[in-house]
Amino acid sequence: MSNLHSQGRSDLAHARHVEAALLDFLRAQSARHEALVIAAIGELRIRIDAADALLAYADDSQSAAIAFRLAAAEAARLAGHVYFELAGRSLPRPLPDSPEPALLTQRRLLGDHYLNGAALADGQGDGLAR
């Protein structure tokens, strides 16, 4: 399993964990009926589902692996943000098991690939494991 897959799976698991904790918290709150709270939960679920769908294609190409990694990181980020916003506290997010390229670098590589047709690196020396 590539480093991107490993970190992505960790972030996706974290997003799911935070979502479950948030749902448990909100079930006891009257705010669960407010439109903005419902929308925030819906947006979080969309991000988790999107990352999950991209995981199915992560082995197909380097661009699919990067897209999955970015989607999983965004789901985890949003989960933490929504939890803090609605519950007033945060849940710890696990640190990556090993170093990986910065998400900004991965986003730039993917954008350059789609916008300019730039080849994605072959994984040698760039930290983008397959």
Side-chain angles (χ1 to χ4, degrees):
M1 176 182 352
S2 79
N3 189 35
L4 294 175
H5 288 55
S6 176
Q7 300 306 322
R9 286 179 191 270
S10 177
D11 276 348
L12 188 53
H14 176 69
R16 286 182 179 129
H17 168 74
V18 173
E19 179 194 37
L22 185 57
L23 293 175
D24 286 344
F25 171 78
L26 288 172
R27 285 190 179 107
Q29 307 295 318
S30 63
R32 73 182 184 277
H33 299 293
E34 294 177 15
L36 293 177
V37 171
I38 293 168
I41 297 302
E43 182 181 357
L44 177 56
R45 173 48 39 192
I46 289 167
R47 300 292 180 152
I48 291 170
D49 287 348
D52 201 33
L54 288 168
L55 176 58
Y57 299 99
D59 289 328
D60 292 351
S61 67
Q62 184 65 19
S63 61
I66 294 171
F68 161 66
R69 177 66 190 106
L70 293 171
E74 177 58 19
R77 185 207 61 79
L78 182 62
H81 176 78
V82 170
Y83 190 89
F84 184 79
E85 189 175 88
L86 298 177
R89 58 187 186 277
S90 59
L91 294 176
R93 183 172 174 184
L95 295 175
D97 295 332
S98 58
E100 68 171 4
L103 294 173
L104 182 61
T105 299
Q106 294 178 47
R107 188 174 292 119
R108 183 191 55 77
L109 288 171
L110 192 61
D112 197 25
H113 173 70
Y114 285 116
L115 180 63
N116 300 314
L120 292 170
D122 64 4
Q124 295 179 356
D126 63 1
L128 294 176
R130 306 240 190 315

Short mmCIF file of all heavy atoms in Angstrom, two decimals, residues 4 16 19 31-32 38-39 43-44 49 60-61 76 81 83 93-94 106 118 120 128 130:
data_model
loop_
_atom_site.label_atom_id
_atom_site.label_comp_id
_atom_site.label_asym_id
_atom_site.label_seq_id
_atom_site.Cartn_x
_atom_site.Cartn_y
_atom_site.Cartn_z
N LEU A 4 0.59 7.36 0.28
CA LEU A 4 -0.60 8.18 0.10
C LEU A 4 -1.85 7.42 0.52
O LEU A 4 -2.75 7.97 1.13
CB LEU A 4 -0.74 8.62 -1.36
CG LEU A 4 0.33 9.57 -1.90
CD1 LEU A 4 0.12 9.82 -3.37
CD2 LEU A 4 0.35 10.86 -1.12
N ARG A 16 -14.43 9.66 9.78
CA ARG A 16 -15.58 8.83 10.16
C ARG A 16 -15.76 8.79 11.68
O ARG A 16 -16.89 8.84 12.18
CB ARG A 16 -15.41 7.42 9.62
CG ARG A 16 -15.62 7.30 8.15
CD ARG A 16 -15.48 5.85 7.71
NE ARG A 16 -15.70 5.72 6.29
CZ ARG A 16 -14.88 5.10 5.48
NH1 ARG A 16 -13.78 4.54 5.93
NH2 ARG A 16 -15.16 5.03 4.19
N GLU A 19 -17.14 12.13 12.80
CA GLU A 19 -18.54 12.23 12.41
C GLU A 19 -19.42 11.44 13.39
O GLU A 19 -20.46 11.94 13.84
CB GLU A 19 -18.75 11.70 11.00
CG GLU A 19 -20.21 11.76 10.57
CD GLU A 19 -20.50 10.96 9.32
OE1 GLU A 19 -19.90 9.87 9.14
OE2 GLU A 19 -21.35 11.41 8.53
N ALA A 31 -30.09 21.73 18.95
CA ALA A 31 -29.51 22.32 17.75
C ALA A 31 -29.53 21.37 16.56
O ALA A 31 -29.39 21.80 15.41
CB ALA A 31 -28.08 22.77 18.02
N ARG A 32 -29.77 20.10 16.81
CA ARG A 32 -29.77 19.12 15.72
C ARG A 32 -30.87 19.40 14.69
O ARG A 32 -30.84 18.87 13.59
CB ARG A 32 -29.87 17.70 16.25
CG ARG A 32 -31.23 17.32 16.78
CD ARG A 32 -31.21 15.88 17.34
NE ARG A 32 -32.51 15.45 17.77
CZ ARG A 32 -33.06 15.74 18.95
NH1 ARG A 32 -32.38 16.46 19.83
NH2 ARG A 32 -34.26 15.31 19.26
N ILE A 38 -27.70 20.94 10.28
CA ILE A 38 -28.03 19.86 9.35
C ILE A 38 -27.17 19.98 8.09
O ILE A 38 -26.63 18.98 7.60
CB ILE A 38 -29.54 19.88 9.02
CG1 ILE A 38 -30.34 19.52 10.26
CG2 ILE A 38 -29.86 18.94 7.86
CD1 ILE A 38 -31.83 19.78 10.15
N ALA A 39 -27.01 21.20 7.58
CA ALA A 39 -26.19 21.41 6.39
C ALA A 39 -24.73 21.05 6.64
O ALA A 39 -24.07 20.46 5.78
CB ALA A 39 -26.30 22.86 5.94
N GLU A 43 -22.69 18.31 4.56
CA GLU A 43 -21.44 18.59 3.85
C GLU A 43 -20.34 17.64 4.28
O GLU A 43 -19.58 17.13 3.45
CB GLU A 43 -21.00 20.04 4.09
CG GLU A 43 -19.73 20.38 3.33
CD GLU A 43 -19.25 21.80 3.55
OE1 GLU A 43 -19.91 22.57 4.26
OE2 GLU A 43 -18.19 22.13 2.99
N LEU A 44 -20.26 17.37 5.58
CA LEU A 44 -19.26 16.44 6.07
C LEU A 44 -19.47 15.05 5.47
O LEU A 44 -18.52 14.40 5.02
CB LEU A 44 -19.29 16.37 7.60
CG LEU A 44 -18.34 15.38 8.25
CD1 LEU A 44 -16.90 15.61 7.83
CD2 LEU A 44 -18.49 15.45 9.77
N ASP A 49 -17.98 10.60 1.84
CA ASP A 49 -18.39 9.73 0.74
C ASP A 49 -17.53 9.95 -0.50
O ASP A 49 -17.20 8.99 -1.21
CB ASP A 49 -19.86 9.95 0.39
CG ASP A 49 -20.81 9.36 1.42
OD1 ASP A 49 -20.36 8.59 2.31
OD2 ASP A 49 -22.02 9.68 1.36
N ASP A 60 -5.51 2.93 -9.48
CA ASP A 60 -5.53 3.02 -10.94
C ASP A 60 -4.44 3.90 -11.52
O ASP A 60 -3.93 3.63 -12.60
CB ASP A 60 -6.89 3.51 -11.42
CG ASP A 60 -8.00 2.51 -11.17
OD1 ASP A 60 -7.70 1.36 -10.77
OD2 ASP A 60 -9.17 2.88 -11.36
N SER A 61 -4.12 4.98 -10.83
CA SER A 61 -3.12 5.92 -11.36
C SER A 61 -2.59 6.79 -10.23
O SER A 61 -3.20 6.87 -9.16
CB SER A 61 -3.74 6.81 -12.44
OG SER A 61 -4.69 7.68 -11.87
N ALA A 76 -11.09 14.92 6.78
CA ALA A 76 -10.61 14.95 8.17
C ALA A 76 -10.55 16.39 8.69
O ALA A 76 -10.93 16.66 9.83
CB ALA A 76 -9.24 14.29 8.26
N HIS A 81 -13.12 20.64 12.07
CA HIS A 81 -13.67 22.00 12.11
C HIS A 81 -15.13 21.99 12.56
O HIS A 81 -15.52 22.77 13.44
CB HIS A 81 -13.52 22.66 10.74
CG HIS A 81 -14.13 24.01 10.65
ND1 HIS A 81 -13.54 25.14 11.15
CD2 HIS A 81 -15.32 24.42 10.13
CE1 HIS A 81 -14.32 26.18 10.95
NE2 HIS A 81 -15.41 25.77 10.33
N TYR A 83 -16.74 19.65 14.17
CA TYR A 83 -16.86 19.18 15.55
C TYR A 83 -16.55 20.31 16.52
O TYR A 83 -17.29 20.54 17.48
CB TYR A 83 -15.94 17.99 15.80
CG TYR A 83 -16.19 17.32 17.12
CD1 TYR A 83 -17.12 16.29 17.24
CD2 TYR A 83 -15.54 17.72 18.28
CE1 TYR A 83 -17.37 15.67 18.45
CE2 TYR A 83 -15.79 17.12 19.50
CZ TYR A 83 -16.70 16.10 19.58
OH TYR A 83 -16.96 15.50 20.79
N ARG A 93 -6.32 14.55 16.24
CA ARG A 93 -6.14 13.92 14.93
C ARG A 93 -4.80 13.20 14.93
O ARG A 93 -3.78 13.81 15.26
CB ARG A 93 -6.18 14.98 13.84
CG ARG A 93 -6.08 14.44 12.43
CD ARG A 93 -6.33 15.56 11.44
NE ARG A 93 -6.10 15.14 10.09
CZ ARG A 93 -6.17 15.94 9.04
NH1 ARG A 93 -6.47 17.22 9.23
NH2 ARG A 93 -5.96 15.49 7.84
N PRO A 94 -4.79 11.94 14.56
CA PRO A 94 -3.52 11.20 14.56
C PRO A 94 -2.52 11.81 13.58
O PRO A 94 -2.91 12.29 12.51
CB PRO A 94 -3.91 9.79 14.12
CG PRO A 94 -5.38 9.76 14.01
CD PRO A 94 -5.91 11.14 14.11
N GLN A 106 1.09 18.19 -3.26
CA GLN A 106 0.28 17.20 -3.96
C GLN A 106 -0.80 17.89 -4.79
O GLN A 106 -1.07 17.50 -5.93
CB GLN A 106 -0.33 16.21 -2.97
CG GLN A 106 0.72 15.35 -2.30
CD GLN A 106 0.13 14.42 -1.28
OE1 GLN A 106 -0.85 13.75 -1.55
NE2 GLN A 106 0.74 14.36 -0.10
N ALA A 118 1.34 18.16 -17.40
CA ALA A 118 2.62 17.75 -16.83
C ALA A 118 2.54 16.32 -16.33
O ALA A 118 1.54 15.90 -15.75
CB ALA A 118 3.00 18.68 -15.68
N LEU A 120 3.16 13.27 -13.95
CA LEU A 120 3.36 13.13 -12.51
C LEU A 120 4.67 12.42 -12.30
O LEU A 120 5.07 11.56 -13.10
CB LEU A 120 2.20 12.35 -11.89
CG LEU A 120 0.87 13.09 -11.91
CD1 LEU A 120 -0.25 12.17 -11.51
CD2 LEU A 120 0.92 14.29 -10.99
N LEU A 128 6.31 10.53 -3.45
CA LEU A 128 4.99 10.11 -3.90
C LEU A 128 5.02 8.62 -4.18
O LEU A 128 5.24 8.18 -5.30
CB LEU A 128 4.56 10.87 -5.16
CG LEU A 128 4.34 12.36 -4.97
CD1 LEU A 128 4.02 13.03 -6.30
CD2 LEU A 128 3.25 12.62 -3.98
N ARG A 130 3.67 4.79 -4.65
CA ARG A 130 2.53 4.23 -5.37
C ARG A 130 1.89 3.12 -4.57
O ARG A 130 2.35 2.32 -3.98
CB ARG A 130 2.95 3.64 -6.70
CG ARG A 130 3.68 4.65 -7.50
CD ARG A 130 3.03 4.97 -8.81
NE ARG A 130 3.83 5.76 -9.65
CZ ARG A 130 4.52 6.82 -9.34
NH1 ARG A 130 4.58 7.23 -8.15
NH2 ARG A 130 5.18 7.51 -10.22
#
